[in-house]
Amino acid sequence: MDTLIALIQIAIGAALINNFVLYYFVGICPFLGVSRRVDTAFGMGCAVTFVISIAATLSWAFTYFILRPEAPLPTWVWETLGGDPGTKVDLSVLSYIMYIFVIASSVQFVEMYVRKFFPPLYKSFGVFLPLITTNCAILFACLKILAELQDPEQLWGLHQALTLAVGGGVGFTIAICLMAGIREELDMCDVPKPLRGAGISLIVAGIMAMAFAGFAGMDSGIKDALAMFLK
Amino acid sequence: MVTPVTVTMVLAAVVLSLLAIAMAWVLGWANKTFHVEVDPKVEAILDVLPGANCGGCGYVGCGEYAEAVVHADADVALCAPGGAGCAQRLAEIMGVEVTESAPYRAVVHCAAKRYQRLQQTPYDGEVTCASANLVGGVQGCTYGCLGLGDCTRACDYDAIHLVDGLATVDYEKCIGCKACARTCPRNIITMVPFKCERMLVVACSNQDKGPDVKAVCEVGCIGCTACSRKAELMHMEGNLPVVDYDRYDATADFTEARKKCPREGMLYVGKPSAEDLAAVAGETLPDRVEADFRTTVDDTEWRG
Amino acid sequence: MPSHEPTAAERFINGIIPENPVYRQLLGMCPTLAVTAGMKPAMTMAAATAFVLIMANIIVSLIRGLLKPHLRILVFTLTIATFVTIADRVLAAYLWEMSKALGPYVPLIIVNCLIISRCEICSSKQGPGVAIADAVGMSLGFALALASIATVREILGAGTWFGLPVLSATWWPTWGVMMLPPGAFLTLGLLLGLAEWIGQKKKQSSA
């Protein structure tokens, strides 16, 4: 039960309070570029959520078993070679390269899979998939998971990593759809010429960030509420 | 020497190489297993098509049209931006004959500038033709151009603008994608085959007669039928003349009909003639400043 | 096809203001918003990005003959990832406080659209000399952009600049919002508008 409440906290944290776009500033390029219409924005959000979950799973697995300081694989190799158990072999220097590799390959794989088995789905968001490879949001989710895995007290399991990833993706989708809706309305407004396009979108994003800041404290509030209910 | 540093470096190299090999193998397998059979003809057609994804052919994008041509017997001459050359090459790829056809371009069937429209009332609503059309009463003529710019916003090629409140097509830029024709809430933009550089068009859509038209517009067609009696390619449908574009060719002579017209009912539209260009050669073009919002994602090239 | 390829010097000057990565090309917005709460983190990030950009451009330019078209993005990304790892470790070793403050944004240089875009556009097609000039120009432009935003945010938000007090705390109520995400978005949006306005004024006066 505590685990479930902790997972809900992580999810709400990633989706609303520490929204990837509006708090951590990742994924700004697609946020500004693809948010002209709500349907394309939603497609992009779904694609990002999809890829983020796959990438997070794979990178969690690699980090847990190979890359963190006390990981099983290097420890096993070290001890087999007769090394003294006090010093550890730390492969975490490979983290970034490995994450990028994982993300690029999984996006490629997903694109091929979706194109073969879900052609209508491919038509609706297939064109975004190559763009997502360098979407900061995916790499950011992996880096957050890495941070939690490097902290020996936290040592997140797959369930926490996946909740963060999906929560982040959902938060990204919410933010991008909201922005798309606002921009559709902005199209009919008389925006001063210098601010048209990127300028006004960023100002709107700033106001959205202020709005989302109102979610602060919601995770502990929900935790208390749920703890009361489920006692 | 089995120091931690050596083991780290060797293990790092080994892990990376293994990962690279594993990923390459998986992707190679995926490439074969998930291979989607793409007819080479579709690829060839995609190369020929302009790639503007304008939707003028009636399909969502050039990719869709290419597949429809190969698999669904779509007509090879539907691509307006590609024009006759593209249709010819598509016909060669598909091994069919193509008939010579003229490019279709948008024509606005209204000639009334804002100061020529009568019974206008001040309109403070949403600045779109669709809204003004619904509200009604914005101007006397219920058939003609409202001049609020829905067509200008629909055009992706900067080919239609509002000049004195009248939608005016720039025939140097129009590619015939029909976006403006689809958007116009009064349906006064039609696609006309441009068999010559300048074509005669009926520049009015008002289906009322005589005094009713004069009450709402200074230049609209009053349905006097003088033109249709003088020109053999024109006939009346209701109170408006219609030009027969199927039989239209360069020898068609409308001078008599135009002399007889008491209003500004018929105009030649198209690319500017040599005399027109010479007349304005001395003037400079006013600068039109537009915001330049290029993002990395809007380009079709890969950006992150 | 361009009528002439820009020379190294032209590319260098281009990158600073005419094709400024943040204000004109709208690339690299993630770090621009994230680290500009103060001048110190902003300049550290600018230095790190400069290092990665220059080194990556050099390497990609040297191996440009070997790049297969469909693998080139992956090769760029891996090269950049290597140099980012180096930069990250150096920062962690010698500037621990700053490294902690910058947090996950140093590894995010890997997916900074700016670097991959320069590799794709310039260094995969030009020799090392031109690539270096391009990289240095772009880095200066990026640093300039970061500095402009960080200056506004730090002075208005904390009354300091590079940590040195500029506006006395007795009469300047520090604008907390400037240090928070909304302030970042608003500052960048308004500064983008300013840059656009200046650009348009220049076009009008030169036209």
Side-chain angles (χ1 to χ4, degrees):
Chain A
M1 202 33 66
D2 283 333
T3 337
L4 184 61
I5 298 182
L7 285 182
I8 295 180
Q9 272 192 290
I10 295 176
I12 295 197
L16 296 173
I17 306 172
N18 298 333
N19 185 289
F20 275 18
V21 182
L22 298 171
Y23 187 83
Y24 282 125
F25 309 112
V26 286
I28 298 280
C29 298
F31 180 68
L32 291 181
V34 184
S35 62
R36 291 280 173 92
R37 287 171 30 201
V38 181
D39 41 4
T40 45
F42 187 67
M44 182 64 161
C46 288
V48 166
T49 313
F50 192 29
V51 174
I52 240 187
S53 0
I54 299 180
T57 314
L58 287 173
S59 50
W60 177 87
F62 278 119
T63 317
Y64 189 82
F65 293 111
I66 305 179
L67 292 181
R68 63 193 171 97
E70 322 237 306
L73 178 67
T75 322
W76 173 81
V77 168
W78 178 239
E79 281 168 12
T80 324
L81 290 174
D84 108 76
T87 358
K88 296 285 180 191
V89 168
D90 182 10
L91 285 182
S92 55
V93 69
L94 283 185
S95 320
Y96 307 151
I97 301 180
M98 212 177 235
Y99 291 162
I100 271 298
F101 226 135
V102 159
I103 294 172
S105 319
S106 52
V107 166
Q108 186 89 326
F109 188 86
V110 162
E111 189 191 346
M112 286 194 254
Y113 184 77
V114 167
R115 192 173 178 212
K116 172 88 173 176
F117 292 115
F118 303 103
L121 206 62
Y122 182 72
K123 286 216 171 77
S124 60
F125 73 65
V127 71
F128 298 132
L129 286 175
L131 295 166
I132 296 177
T133 314
T134 59
N135 187 344
C136 326
I138 320 273
L139 186 60
F140 182 77
C142 297
L143 290 172
K144 272 224 146 257
I145 296 173
L146 171 70
E148 300 293 341
L149 279 175
Q150 278 179 335
D151 182 355
E153 284 172 33
Q154 292 285 348
L155 203 65
W156 271 9
L158 182 59
H159 51 295
Q160 285 145 311
L162 208 50
T163 316
L164 177 83
V166 174
V170 167
F172 179 83
T173 313
I174 295 176
I176 206 179
C177 289
L178 283 176
M179 180 56 112
I182 295 177
R183 281 184 82 174
E184 281 184 359
E185 297 293 321
L186 272 181
D187 272 344
M188 299 198 225
C189 297
D190 189 16
V191 178
K193 278 220 190 74
L195 284 176
R196 277 189 202 157
I200 195 69
S201 309
L202 284 166
I203 295 178
V204 167
I207 301 177
M208 276 172 68
M210 278 195 246
F212 269 64
F215 285 123
M218 196 165 137
D219 53 350
S220 50
I222 290 210
K223 176 177 165 200
D224 295 335
L226 283 176
M228 255 198 327
F229 265 127
L230 303 170
K231 265 296 182 285
Chain B
M1 278 280 233
V2 186
T3 62
V5 175
T6 341
V7 175
T8 314
M9 290 200 294
V10 171
L11 193 55
V14 166
V15 163
L16 260 186
S17 324
L18 284 180
L19 180 66
I21 295 173
M23 289 295 182
W25 184 83
V26 166
L27 283 177
W29 169 83
N31 203 10
K32 272 200 286 283
T33 334
F34 299 148
H35 186 63
V36 175
E37 269 307 324
V38 180
D39 196 328
K41 282 199 222 154
V42 175
E43 301 278 340
I45 291 182
L46 268 176
D47 271 334
V48 171
L49 289 175
N53 284 319
C54 69
C57 52
Y59 296 93
V60 174
C62 299
E64 288 278 333
Y65 180 50
E67 297 205 354
V69 168
V70 174
H71 297 301
D73 279 334
D75 185 11
V76 295
L78 288 177
C79 179
C86 172
Q88 186 66 36
R89 272 175 289 167
L90 250 56
E92 282 166 27
I93 294 172
M94 292 302 297
V96 297
E97 286 292 315
V98 67
T99 48
E100 206 29 73
S101 68
Y104 279 77
R105 297 284 176 258
V107 167
V108 179
H109 292 282
C110 179
K113 311 234 190 323
R114 204 180 290 289
Y115 51 85
Q116 292 164 326
R117 298 175 198 156
L118 303 169
Q119 294 180 16
Q120 296 189 54
T121 54
Y123 173 64
D124 279 328
E126 201 177 297
V127 184
T128 61
C129 304
S131 309
N133 196 29
L134 285 173
V135 165
V138 177
Q139 65 194 27
C141 178
T142 56
Y143 302 91
C145 178
L146 285 159
L148 292 174
D150 278 6
C151 51
T152 57
R153 284 184 287 270
C155 181
D156 278 333
Y157 299 93
D158 193 31
I160 187 167
H161 306 99
L162 295 172
V163 178
D164 285 328
L166 172 66
T168 314
V169 178
D170 181 353
Y171 289 96
E172 309 251 321
K173 295 192 181 156
C174 176
I175 58 158
C177 72
K178 303 183 211 146
C180 55
R182 284 192 292 253
T183 306
C184 178
R186 293 200 156 177
N187 295 311
I188 58 170
I189 305 185
T190 65
M191 305 306 288
V192 164
F194 265 58
K195 301 183 178 176
C196 318
E197 286 274 306
R198 292 177 73 73
M199 299 281 288
L200 186 93
V201 300
V202 173
C204 182
S205 310
N206 194 319
Q207 291 162 15
D208 295 336
K209 210 173 155 82
D212 296 328
V213 178
K214 283 195 169 150
V216 298
C217 179
E218 291 176 10
V219 298
C221 169
I222 52 173
C224 66
T225 75
C227 55
S228 60
R229 277 178 272 144
K230 284 286 171 194
E232 63 156 21
L233 284 178
M234 295 179 76
H235 66 277
M236 295 301 287
E237 278 181 14
N239 290 319
L240 278 174
V242 171
V243 178
D244 184 356
Y245 289 109
D246 291 334
R247 290 188 297 142
Y248 192 110
D249 60 26
T251 63
D253 181 23
F254 295 99
T255 9
E256 280 300 312
R258 293 189 75 209
K259 270 207 286 210
K260 274 286 175 182
C261 178
R263 313 277 275 177
E264 246 174 66
M266 285 174 284
L267 300 173
Y268 272 100
V269 293
K271 298 209 178 129
S273 62
E275 299 91 46
D276 294 330
L277 285 172
V280 296
E283 296 169 26
T284 53
L285 208 62
D287 221 355
R288 241 198 355 239
V289 180
E290 286 162 300
D292 180 12
F293 176 31
R294 284 164 28 230
T295 67
T296 56
V297 179
D298 277 351
D299 290 346
T300 52
E301 206 183 275
W302 180 94
R303 297 285 178 97
Chain C
M1 281 300 285
S3 51
H4 77 282
E5 279 295 325
T7 64
E10 277 173 10
R11 282 189 185 274
F12 173 72
I13 302 288
N14 243 0
I16 304 183
I17 294 189
E19 271 182 42
N20 187 288
V22 174
Y23 286 125
R24 291 256 148 249
Q25 298 184 56
L26 297 174
L27 300 174
M29 304 258 240
C30 304
T32 315
L33 292 164
V35 309
T36 44
M39 277 300 284
K40 278 210 197 120
M43 289 299 103
T44 318
M45 172 61 84
T49 313
F51 168 71
V52 175
L53 181 56
I54 296 173
M55 298 306 294
N57 261 21
I58 295 177
I59 299 288
V60 168
S61 178
L62 290 173
I63 64 171
R64 71 188 185 280
L66 306 168
L67 292 172
K68 287 208 189 316
H70 52 279
L71 281 183
R72 68 189 191 290
I73 305 287
L74 194 60
V75 170
F76 298 158
T77 326
L78 288 174
T79 320
I80 296 170
T82 319
F83 286 112
V84 168
T85 313
I86 298 175
D88 185 48
R89 292 292 136 168
V90 165
L91 267 180
Y94 294 111
L95 289 172
W96 175 240
E97 297 297 328
M98 192 51 64
S99 171
K100 267 263 165 282
L102 288 177
Y105 293 104
V106 175
L108 282 180
I109 299 178
I110 302 177
V111 287
N112 189 336
C113 330
L114 167 64
I115 306 187
I116 304 199
S117 148
R118 293 330 290 175
C119 285
E120 164 91 16
I121 292 179
C122 174
S123 51
S124 64
K125 301 180 184 136
Q126 309 283 337
V130 180
I132 295 179
D134 186 73
V136 174
M138 285 288 158
S139 311
L140 280 178
F142 189 63
L144 203 63
L146 285 187
S148 57
I149 301 170
T151 307
V152 171
R153 282 183 73 189
E154 194 178 358
I155 293 186
L156 291 179
T160 62
W161 197 68
F162 264 115
L164 308 166
V166 168
L167 293 175
S168 163
T170 46
W171 60 270
W172 176 254
T174 54
W175 290 5
V177 73
M178 278 296 163
M179 305 305 253
L180 296 172
F185 282 115
L186 290 171
T187 314
L188 182 59
L190 290 170
L191 281 176
L192 263 177
L194 185 67
E196 186 65 40
W197 184 74
I198 295 177
Q200 284 176 4
K201 275 262 170 300
K202 261 211 190 132
K203 247 206 262 177
Q204 278 177 357
S205 62
S206 69

